[in-house]
Amino acid sequence: MSEKPIVVPGEILTSGYYRAGENTIKLDNSIIATKVGIPQTKGNTVRVIALKSFYVPKIHDLVIGIVSEVYYNMWKVNIFSPYVAVLPAVDVFGRRFDPTKDNTLKKMGIGTVLKARITLFDRTQDPVITIRGEGLGIIEKGFITSVNPSKIAKLIGKKGSMLQKIEQLTDTKITVGQNGIILIETQSIRAKDKVIKAIRLIEREAHLPDLADRVTEILKEDGENEHEKATDQ
Amino acid sequence: MSTKRQLINEQGIRTDGRGVDDLRPIKITLGYLTHANGSVLYEQGKNKILAAVFGPSEVHPKHTELPDRAILRVRYRMAPFSTEERKSPAPTRREIELSMVIRNALESVVLTELFPRTVIDIFVEVLQADAGTRVAGVTAAALALADAGIPMRGITAGCAVGKADGKIVCDLNDIEDKEGEADMPVAYIPTLNKISLLQMDGLMTQEEFKQALSKAINSAMKVYQLQVNALKTKYIKREEVKK
């Protein structure tokens, strides 16, 4: 696999009968890049896969967030995007929610970590999230780390292959929020460190070829080191 | 009255050894800071400018947010140790004005309409000043914005031109700025072929102005090439580091 060209904002990608996809705009019949990234053409749509980005909420996205403010009828949740998410109390207490009886602060205080899904968002109003659904809710144990949202596709891999590989090699369970927050469920701190090391490698070198091999190498290499350390002791 | 210093000699060499069209050496270090979303250390001759970008993020105070686009908040500051004599750390009228000038120069390239009700914070800190800091600030801020992954129509590149000893010179240094006849900072967006900042201090004839503007655009193009190279090599370099 050869190295792909990198484009910068303002660079003309193509002109003519093309559609402007992600991270591109159409200006005077030309498609131009709006972010630093790698261009890709699929059919008649041109897009740029950004090398660095930030999370913009999308409906149905799984996100991991932290409660930042508590109100009598809702929580404000930091989902690490330009917009703070709203979790309505009705979603947590059910339709019989009564602000005079149910206490939102007792249910979830500031700092509570949540696995949630985005139900509403259109830029004119803040995103609304839900914690009702399979696998959603308060996170009680595990380790949290983050990755730049532009690297999530590479971290998950084709049909989840990369994530499965990391999970198998480290014996952990990893949940990747689309907002770049990652939950690592494991008892072992060593396994957690290994996963974080692999994530950092992906973050650094996602755009370079043979990523999967390098991730395997780093995970196995660590295992050998651990073995060495154990024998030393 | 003291005699006027000669700024360009008979061979057309300036006080720092450059020709009239030469720029000062430029060094760009992208991702200089770890906590900022995007950052750059931009060095142009003796100028050292640190630019950092945060956001887009929630606006505080709330009443300043705009319903249809993001606001750009630029803070241009000169460090107390940036000049020959200690500068008071209190924000001066000049710094407040330059913050506005840089913001106006960048607003035309940032796609603010994509993120309504948010704010993009840009910090331009001049660590060492040697003339032309506003255009160097625009150049650095544009790089930091691109580094932060903020969508833009193009990258703004800036360069100052001026008149010293009756000749039009590019990228003035401190002596030329103070003792020259005119100074004209220009910020240019090469991909859109548009000028986003043009100021002038001093006197020039119409002909001189036309010549100065074309020289400024040429110089900005040189700066732009360096900006593009820096952005592209930031990601390619990783592999070299690994090897």
Side-chain angles (χ1 to χ4, degrees), chain A residues 174-209:
Chain A
I174 304 167
T175 312
V176 181
Q178 290 298 315
N179 57 341
I181 308 298
I182 299 160
L183 171 71
I184 309 162
E185 286 170 87
T186 176
Q187 297 288 329
S188 150
I189 290 178
R190 226 173 231 181
K192 175 222 40 167
D193 288 343
K194 266 164 83 172
V195 173
I196 291 177
K197 210 170 170 186
I199 291 169
R200 294 289 158 262
L201 177 92
I202 295 168
E203 197 171 28
R204 254 189 348 260
E205 298 175 13
H207 61 291
L208 301 173

Side-chain angles (χ1 to χ4, degrees), chain B residues 72-85:
Chain B
L72 282 188
R73 217 161 33 191
V74 178
R75 197 188 83 150
Y76 166 97
R77 285 284 182 277
M78 282 174 92
F81 48 81
S82 65
T83 44
E84 276 174 26
E85 265 179 48

Side-chain angles (χ1 to χ4, degrees), chain B residues 42-113:
Chain B
Y42 184 79
E43 293 164 79
Q44 186 167 16
K46 285 185 205 158
N47 273 334
K48 282 188 207 296
I49 289 162
L50 195 57
V53 168
F54 284 91
S57 50
E58 216 186 354
V59 188
H60 289 292
K62 273 275 178 210
H63 68 87
T64 54
E65 71 175 28
L66 296 174
D68 58 341
R69 61 181 190 273
I71 53 171
L72 282 188
R73 217 161 33 191
V74 178
R75 197 188 83 150
Y76 166 97
R77 285 284 182 277
M78 282 174 92
F81 48 81
S82 65
T83 44
E84 276 174 26
E85 265 179 48
R86 178 186 176 272
K87 182 207 153 283
S88 160
T92 58
R93 183 204 56 77
R94 179 181 171 273
E95 283 166 308
I96 296 163
E97 185 194 315
L98 289 196
S99 301
M100 185 271 286
V101 164
I102 296 173
R103 191 188 72 222
N104 289 347
L106 293 169
E107 258 173 355
S108 51
V109 287
V110 179
L111 293 160
T112 49
E113 60 275 21

Side-chain angles (χ1 to χ4, degrees), chain A:
Chain A
M1 214 166 97
S2 66
E3 202 152 277
K4 291 167 185 166
I6 292 173
V7 293
V8 298
E11 209 166 311
I12 296 171
L13 302 173
T14 182
S15 52
Y17 297 103
Y18 282 98
R19 272 174 43 173
E22 205 185 338
N23 300 326
T24 61
I25 50 165
K26 201 162 192 174
L27 264 183
D28 305 331
N29 209 28
S30 308
I31 307 279
I32 67 164
T34 60
K35 283 187 188 179
V36 179
I38 296 160
Q40 203 181 52
T41 313
K42 236 181 205 174
N44 68 340
T45 308
V46 184
R47 67 174 190 140
V48 169
I49 303 163
L51 289 172
K52 203 168 170 193
S53 192
F54 48 86
Y55 178 65
V56 179
K58 262 210 323 266
I59 295 177
H60 304 311
D61 270 3
L62 175 82
V63 293
I64 294 170
I66 300 169
V67 173
S68 60
E69 280 173 72
V70 184
Y71 294 84
Y72 77 98
N73 63 348
M74 64 157 178
W75 291 268
K76 285 265 179 100
V77 182
N78 179 6
I79 53 164
F80 302 91
S81 92
Y83 304 97
V84 177
V86 171
L87 175 64
V90 179
D91 188 84
V92 178
F93 291 105
R95 291 184 68 184
R96 292 187 172 190
F97 166 68
D98 180 354
T100 57
K101 288 175 193 156
D102 300 314
N103 189 334
T104 47
L105 192 60
K106 274 187 186 162
K107 190 80 179 173
M108 286 190 285
I110 290 171
T112 311
V113 185
L114 301 170
K115 211 187 280 181
R117 217 170 263 287
I118 292 175
T119 52
L120 274 175
F121 177 64
D122 66 359
R123 283 176 208 218
T124 60
Q125 60 179 41
D126 286 336
V128 179
I129 55 171
T130 177
I131 56 166
R132 287 191 156 198
E134 205 190 328
L136 305 181
I138 299 171
I139 298 170
E140 278 162 357
K141 56 184 179 182
F143 299 95
I144 296 275
T145 185
S146 65
V147 70
N148 192 288
S150 63
K151 310 290 179 194
I152 285 175
K154 286 281 181 184
L155 174 62
I156 294 171
K158 274 185 188 146
K159 292 178 184 168
S161 59
M162 182 72 86
L163 204 59
Q164 272 172 21
K165 182 182 279 183
I166 301 173
E167 283 183 330
Q168 277 166 13
L169 288 171
T170 56
D171 195 22
T172 52
K173 190 179 177 300
I174 304 167
T175 312
V176 181
Q178 290 298 315
N179 57 341
I181 308 298
I182 299 160
L183 171 71
I184 309 162
E185 286 170 87
T186 176
Q187 297 288 329
S188 150
I189 290 178
R190 226 173 231 181
K192 175 222 40 167
D193 288 343
K194 266 164 83 172
V195 173
I196 291 177
K197 210 170 170 186
I199 291 169
R200 294 289 158 262
L201 177 92
I202 295 168
E203 197 171 28
R204 254 189 348 260
E205 298 175 13
H207 61 291
L208 301 173
D210 308 323
L211 183 68
D213 296 345
R214 272 175 289 139
V215 171
T216 317
E217 200 180 298
I218 202 171
L219 291 174
K220 287 191 173 162
E221 192 180 88
D222 267 25
E224 281 160 21
N225 288 346
E226 261 173 46
H227 183 68
E228 274 168 31
K229 272 181 204 162
T231 48
D232 283 346
Q233 284 162 2

